[in-house]
């Protein structure tokens, strides 16, 4: 029972009897109220706990070690090795560790093994001449065979990197055994082993059989445990589509986690992402700030960061550079970088003062929910100081974008009357299916009410067999970017992305290409929306197709002209 509750239940008379029984305190006379005296006796005893100094902790462990306790012997040996609570003494360190190892303590075997191999303190360096390679390997193997996950991981490293020991010749490079030991360690949840398996299967070490799906899976496990290198490697996998779908948003998020942990690679890549708007909203101030932090380190990535910082500075006003320098100088490990209150990227772009913005390009955008969230292409909004919607007051806000898949999520101003429906079975789209594109191409010359053009799905993959795209014959023009591709029921099955350059093709093969256009497919669109937890509607069950006129009438209600202002 807690002491404070005990005190409340004791009567004053009972407290007096209790105090009289405390022989050592019998000289105290209880004359005041029954609360203060007992409190003064019990409270300090109940609350005070002493924190041991490293020296006191070492002495306690030493006493226990002298009784033969193997764990304490290991801790004493490590203390002598590291000089914690006691002066460093290699002879005593080895003596205590040997005693523990003889009792089959796997931690002692691991520590001694790494010491004799010349890689103690997790340096992960492999020398041809260790102190006693044969003994070190034997000890490491004993610890690994007992199930020590760190020892198992280190055994994997031995087989992965070492050709053979110069003196003993006890081990040679063996891919299968490297994977076997890593696997045992990874199965116990050891993040270093999971990360190593990930890079092996992704082909980072020549000679190992690639398996991108396995590699990405192991990297995800390690990244979830906060393994910084795994976060970076997984981010690159998302950026390139190795074992996972291409997803710039997830890649940017992983790089930011790494950057916040003070990893220079993550910081440089975060600067890169903010510079180009890849997976994040383009922001030159944050790009400069992350590059500035990374450039202060003496590493290879720092030299790249310096170039990123210089490029960002060319896009910023003096006020923007000053803000970036302030937030980077105040940054501390474990904290995100945050723009100063009231500041936005738009206000700090050097060439874009609010008074001299000009419309430089247009595209098409379509609304997907009553919250005003809409879809267009990344290249439609990239680099814009403002995104405006024709016929609507206020500025549209870019929520997020994905440069690899050329998609952007934008929040548009004003009341929403109608929204698009997304085809719920995108994989059922077939080559030869009829499709329709509704958009606002050549807005200065063509109809302000939008244009609808029919076509067919000519291929279910895009250029170079890109599985995120479909090829369509519906004609598109400048301004069609971001247009919805509709099926005969009026549901969105794709987003117009690009057209094959007729001039470039003619120069390359001597022929004029016609109606070779590409769209982001429905599956990629749905994956983008669900990755960002965006609500969207799907079509209801119907057997009937709509006329082209009805398709246009419906699409006109939720499709708009987007303007890029710089």
């Amino acid at each position: 029972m807690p002491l404070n509750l005990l005190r409340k239940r004791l009567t004053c008379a009972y407290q007096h009897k209790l105090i009289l029984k405390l022989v050592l305190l019998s000289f105290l006379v209880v004359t005041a109220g029954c609360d203060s005296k007992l409190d003064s006796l019990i409270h300090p005893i109940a609350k005070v706990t002493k924190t041991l100094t490293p020296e006191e902790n070492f002495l306690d462990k030493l006493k226990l070690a002298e009784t033969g306790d193997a764990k304490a012997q290991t801790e004493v040996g490590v203390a002598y090795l590291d000089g914690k609570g006691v002066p460093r003494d290699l002879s005593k360190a080895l003596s205590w560790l040997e005693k523990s190892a003889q009792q089959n303590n796997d931690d002692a075997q691991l520590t001694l093994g790494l010491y004799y191999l010349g890689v103690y303190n997790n340096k992960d360096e492999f020398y041809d001449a260790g102190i006693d390679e044969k003994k070190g390997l034997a000890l490491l193997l004993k610890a690994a065979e007992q199930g020590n996950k760190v020892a198992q991981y280190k055994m994997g490293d031995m087989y992965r990197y070492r050709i053979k020991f110069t003196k003993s010749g006890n081990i040679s490079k063996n891919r299968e055994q490297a994977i076997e030991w890593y696997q045992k360690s990874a199965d116990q949840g050891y993040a270093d082993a999971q990360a190593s398996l990930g890079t092996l299967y992704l082909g980072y070490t020549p000679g190992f059989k690639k398996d991108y799906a396995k590699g990405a899976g192991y990297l995800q496990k390690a990244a979830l445990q906060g393994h910084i290198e795994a976060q970076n490697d997984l981010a690159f996998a998302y950026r390139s589509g190795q074992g996972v779908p291409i997803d710039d948003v997830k890649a940017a998020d992983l790089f930011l986690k790494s950057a916040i942990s003070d990893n220079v690679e993550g910081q440089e890549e975060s600067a890169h992402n903010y510079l180009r708007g890849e997976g994040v909203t383009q922001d030159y101030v944050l790009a400069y700030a992350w590059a500035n932090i990374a450039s202060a380190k003496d590493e290879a990535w720092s030299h790249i960061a310096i170039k990123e910082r210089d490029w960002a500075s060319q896009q910023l006003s003096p006020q923007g550079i000053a803000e970036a320098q302030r937030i980077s100088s105040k940054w501390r490990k474990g904290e995100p970088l945050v723009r100063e209150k009231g500041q936005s990227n738009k206000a700090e772009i050097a060439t874009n003062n609010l008074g001299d913005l000009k419309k430089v390009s247009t595209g098409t955008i379509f609304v997907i929910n009553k919250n005003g969230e809409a879809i267009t292409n990344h290249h439609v909004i990239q680099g814009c100081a403002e995104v405006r919607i024709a016929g609507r007051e206020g500025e549209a806000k870019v929520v997020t974008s994905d440069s690899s898949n050329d998609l952007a999520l934008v929040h548009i101003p004003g009341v929403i009357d109608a929204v698009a429906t997304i085809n719920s079975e995108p994989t059922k789209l077939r080559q030869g299916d009829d499709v329709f594109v509704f958009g606002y191409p050549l807005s200065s010359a063509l109809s302000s009410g939008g244009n609808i053009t029919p076509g067919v799905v000519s291929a279910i993959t895009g250029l170079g067999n890109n599985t995120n795209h479909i090829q369509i014959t519906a004609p598109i023009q400048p301004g069609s970017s971001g247009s919805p591709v509709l099926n005969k029921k009026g549901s969105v099955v794709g987003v117009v992305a690009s057209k094959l350059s007729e001039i470039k093709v003619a120069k390359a093969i001597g022929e004029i290409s016609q109606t070779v256009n590409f769209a982001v497919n429905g599956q990629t669109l749905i994956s983008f929306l669900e990755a960002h937890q965006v609500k969207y509607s799907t079509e209801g069950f119907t057997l009937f197709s709509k006329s082209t006129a009805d398709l246009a009438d419906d699409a006109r209600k939720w499709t708009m002209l987007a303007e890029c202002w710089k």
Side-chain angles (χ1 to χ4, degrees):
M1 179 182 296
L3 290 175
N4 59 347
L5 183 58
L6 176 65
R7 288 199 295 270
K8 290 181 180 178
R9 292 190 176 184
L10 291 174
T11 64
C12 185
Y14 181 72
Q15 290 178 21
H16 288 174
K17 291 179 182 179
L18 179 62
I19 293 173
L20 290 174
K21 290 180 181 180
L22 300 175
V23 178
L24 294 176
L25 302 173
S26 59
F27 62 90
L28 290 173
V29 178
V30 180
T31 58
C34 61
D35 55 346
S36 60
K37 292 294 183 181
L38 191 60
D39 279 353
S40 66
L41 297 178
I42 297 176
H43 185 74
I45 299 172
K47 294 292 184 181
V48 173
T49 56
K50 185 178 180 181
T51 302
L52 297 178
T53 65
E55 290 76 17
E56 291 171 331
N57 184 61
F58 171 78
L59 290 175
D60 281 355
K61 297 297 182 185
L62 181 60
K63 289 178 183 178
L64 191 57
E66 288 171 342
T67 67
D69 185 282
K71 181 180 178 182
Q73 290 173 342
T74 300
E75 292 172 335
V76 169
V78 171
Y80 274 121
L81 267 182
D82 295 341
K84 291 183 178 179
V86 66
R88 295 189 67 177
D89 190 320
L90 181 59
S91 176
K92 290 182 179 179
L94 297 179
S95 175
W96 281 112
L97 288 169
E98 291 285 1
K99 290 178 181 179
S100 181
Q102 288 171 7
Q103 296 192 62
N104 225 24
N105 181 277
D106 57 303
D107 285 328
Q109 293 167 342
L110 168 65
T111 305
L112 277 174
L114 295 178
Y115 170 76
Y116 286 123
L117 289 168
V119 292
Y120 176 70
N121 280 345
N122 297 322
K123 293 178 182 178
D124 290 327
E125 298 171 0
F126 297 89
Y127 304 106
D128 286 335
I131 297 173
D132 190 333
E133 293 173 341
K134 186 175 182 178
K135 186 174 183 179
L137 181 60
L139 286 163
L140 188 64
L141 183 59
K142 284 184 179 179
E145 288 175 339
Q146 287 196 75
N148 187 295
K149 60 186 179 183
V150 180
Q152 290 169 341
Y153 162 68
K154 290 295 183 182
M155 284 298 298
D157 275 353
M158 293 293 161
Y159 280 109
R160 179 179 183 179
Y161 294 113
R162 299 188 80 147
I163 304 302
K164 65 178 182 178
F165 294 151
T166 305
K167 297 177 181 178
S168 62
N170 280 327
I171 195 170
S172 60
K173 182 181 288 188
N174 187 303
R175 299 178 181 89
E176 289 74 22
Q177 286 186 284
I179 290 177
E180 181 180 339
W181 282 116
Y182 281 144
Q183 187 71 62
K184 290 180 179 180
S185 180
D187 288 345
Q188 295 193 66
Y190 194 55
D192 283 347
Q194 292 167 344
S196 293
L197 277 176
T199 57
L200 276 181
Y201 284 121
L202 288 178
Y204 287 16
T205 300
F208 287 83
K209 185 179 180 180
K210 296 179 182 179
D211 188 325
Y212 292 138
K214 273 189 178 180
Y218 281 114
L219 288 179
Q220 286 174 330
K221 291 179 180 180
L224 285 172
Q225 296 190 60
H227 194 285
I228 295 174
E229 288 76 16
Q231 290 171 345
N232 289 334
D233 290 334
L234 183 59
F236 282 119
Y238 274 117
R239 183 181 283 176
S240 61
Q242 287 187 323
V244 289
I246 291 177
D247 192 327
D248 274 3
V249 175
K250 288 184 179 179
D253 181 61
L254 287 161
F255 280 131
L256 272 176
K257 288 178 179 178
S258 170
I260 289 169
S261 298
D262 202 21
N263 178 269
V264 65
E265 182 178 1
Q267 291 163 351
E268 187 282 322
E269 288 295 338
S270 293
H272 167 98
N273 289 334
Y274 277 116
L275 268 177
R276 294 158 181 81
E278 294 182 5
V280 293
T281 301
Q282 193 172 42
D283 193 312
Y284 296 124
V285 169
L286 292 179
Y288 184 109
W290 277 123
N292 201 37
I293 293 169
S295 66
K297 299 177 172 64
D298 186 21
E299 297 184 37
W301 288 99
S302 302
H303 301 294
I304 303 174
I306 291 171
K307 295 180 180 179
E308 303 275 18
R309 184 183 61 188
D310 292 344
W311 197 91
S313 67
Q314 295 174 19
Q315 318 305 315
L316 290 170
S317 66
Q319 294 84 0
I321 294 174
E323 183 193 352
Q325 291 174 339
R326 286 193 299 271
I327 63 176
S328 61
S329 65
K330 295 176 183 177
W331 179 79
R332 296 293 180 269
K333 181 179 178 179
E335 300 175 355
L337 276 181
V338 180
R339 295 291 304 273
E340 293 177 350
K341 187 176 181 181
Q343 299 298 317
S344 66
N345 191 51
K346 174 188 66 180
E348 302 304 338
I349 298 176
T351 59
N352 289 337
N353 295 321
L354 292 178
D356 59 4
L357 292 180
K358 296 180 180 180
K359 183 169 64 176
V360 296
S361 61
T362 64
T364 301
I365 190 168
F366 61 96
V367 187
I368 57 170
N369 60 43
K370 287 297 185 77
N371 296 328
E373 291 174 309
I375 288 292
T376 188
N377 290 136
H378 168 80
H379 75 260
V380 170
I381 56 87
Q382 185 177 19
C384 303
E386 284 188 5
V387 177
R388 300 177 186 175
I389 306 302
R392 288 182 173 249
E393 294 185 1
E395 179 186 350
K397 303 292 184 183
V398 177
V399 179
T400 189
S401 64
D402 178 347
S403 61
S404 296
N405 291 314
D406 202 13
L407 291 173
L409 181 68
V410 179
H411 183 270
I412 66 173
V415 178
I416 303 302
D417 296 319
V419 300
T421 59
I422 312 296
N423 180 255
S424 60
E425 298 179 311
T427 58
K428 291 188 177 181
L429 189 68
R430 299 171 62 195
Q431 188 177 31
D433 279 349
D434 291 324
V435 290
F436 303 83
V437 171
F438 187 92
Y440 294 87
L442 302 172
S443 59
S444 61
L446 301 182
S447 171
S448 61
N451 283 262
I452 189 164
T453 54
V456 297
V457 177
S458 51
I460 59 172
T461 58
L463 192 64
N465 287 322
N466 184 345
T467 56
N468 294 325
H469 282 185
I470 55 175
Q471 183 180 328
I472 59 176
T473 63
I476 64 172
Q477 304 294 337
S480 293
S481 294
S483 296
V485 180
L486 310 174
N487 62 17
K488 291 190 291 185
K489 296 178 182 179
S491 294
V492 177
V493 296
V495 183
V496 170
S498 61
K499 64 181 295 183
L500 199 61
S501 171
E502 296 173 359
I503 295 175
K504 290 182 179 179
V505 171
K507 288 181 177 179
I509 65 175
E511 298 287 344
I512 299 293
S513 62
Q514 295 182 357
T515 58
V516 180
N517 306 314
F518 302 101
V520 179
N521 64 30
Q523 183 59 60
T524 302
L525 172 60
I526 289 174
S527 296
F528 175 76
L529 295 175
E530 293 183 346
H532 298 287
Q533 300 180 335
V534 179
K535 294 180 180 179
Y536 62 93
S537 299
T538 56
E539 78 282 6
F541 176 76
T542 177
L543 295 174
F544 302 103
S545 299
K546 296 181 179 181
S547 68
T548 305
D550 287 340
L551 289 172
D553 285 343
D554 289 344
R556 191 177 299 110
K557 297 174 183 177
W558 41 263
T559 307
M560 305 172 189
L561 175 66
E563 301 172 342
C564 178
W565 289 71
K566 292 185 180 181

